Amino acid sequence: AFSSVGSLASLPSMPNNPSTGTSFFTGGSQMDFTGEEEDEGEALALIREPTDLNLPEEDCLIEGGTGDNEILNGLFFKLTGTFGVPIYRIVKVRGLWSSYYTDRYLFKDTKTKCWVISGKPTGSVAIQPGCAFTEDDLADRPGAVTSPWYVWHGATKDML
C-alpha cells in the first residue's frame, strides 16, 4: 500500500538485500522521523522530484527586416516537445483578399553550429529571401548570440 504522510510517503517494507544485508529503502541505516508514526513492517522514504535547473523559457523578438526580409520581424516563440533542441517559430497571416500563412523557424544547426532562421525547422543555412544565419559556437540560446547576422540581400542575391 502507498499512502501519503505529510511530505513523506509510506512504502511497503522490502526484504533486506541478501548480498549486502542492507535494506533497499534505508541503505543500511535507520530512518527516524520525529513526530511521524510508522506502522510495523513499513519503512518511510522521502519522495523527491527532479530539480529543474534550466533557465526560464524565453521568446525572441526580431526587428529591422525590410523588403524580402520583413517576414523575419516579430516574436518567435519557443516550441515544446522538440527533444531538448531549442526551436522557435513565428507564424504570420499574409494577403489582403485571400489569406495565407507563412512561418519561419529559428534554431541552432547541429552540424554548422550556426543559428538559422529558415522556412523549415531543421536543416542547414538557407540562402534565399526571408532567411538569415549567424555563426556563434558559444550561444546556447538566441538571446546569447553576440556575432552579426547575415540576411538576404536582394540586389546581390546573397547573404550579407
Side-chain angles (χ1 to χ4, degrees), residues 10-40:
S10 176
L11 301 172
S13 63
M14 295 292 289
N16 288 343
N17 185 341
S19 62
T20 63
T22 60
S23 169
F24 284 102
F25 290 116
T26 62
S29 63
Q30 179 65 32
M31 295 173 59
D32 294 322
F33 297 101
T34 307
E36 299 290 339
E37 294 185 20
E38 183 179 332
D39 291 339
E40 191 172 317

Side-chain angles (χ1 to χ4, degrees), residues 72-85:
L72 300 176
N73 296 334
L75 185 65
F76 284 73
F77 61 92
K78 189 168 186 183
L79 298 177
T80 59
T82 57
F83 303 101
V85 178

Side-chain angles (χ1 to χ4, degrees), residues 78-146:
K78 189 168 186 183
L79 298 177
T80 59
T82 57
F83 303 101
V85 178
I87 301 176
Y88 301 78
R89 183 180 185 197
I90 187 171
V91 178
K92 292 186 174 186
V93 178
R94 316 260 302 172
L96 295 174
W97 288 281
S98 63
S99 299
Y100 63 96
Y101 296 95
T102 58
D103 57 358
R104 288 293 181 266
Y105 296 89
L106 169 60
F107 61 93
K108 189 164 188 176
D109 180 24
T110 56
K111 291 180 185 174
T112 63
K113 304 296 183 202
C114 292
W115 281 95
V116 177
I117 301 176
S118 173
K120 294 186 261 181
T122 59
S124 191
V125 174
I127 301 180
Q128 61 188 27
C131 295
F133 76 94
T134 184
E135 298 171 303
D136 196 332
D137 292 343
L138 302 177
D140 59 346
R141 55 190 173 82
V145 170
T146 57

Side-chain angles (χ1 to χ4, degrees), residues 26-60:
T26 62
S29 63
Q30 179 65 32
M31 295 173 59
D32 294 322
F33 297 101
T34 307
E36 299 290 339
E37 294 185 20
E38 183 179 332
D39 291 339
E40 191 172 317
E42 291 186 2
L44 293 177
L46 293 173
I47 300 232
R48 299 177 189 228
E49 294 182 16
T51 304
D52 186 9
L53 299 176
N54 294 332
L55 294 172
E57 302 299 330
E58 68 176 29
D59 295 330
C60 183

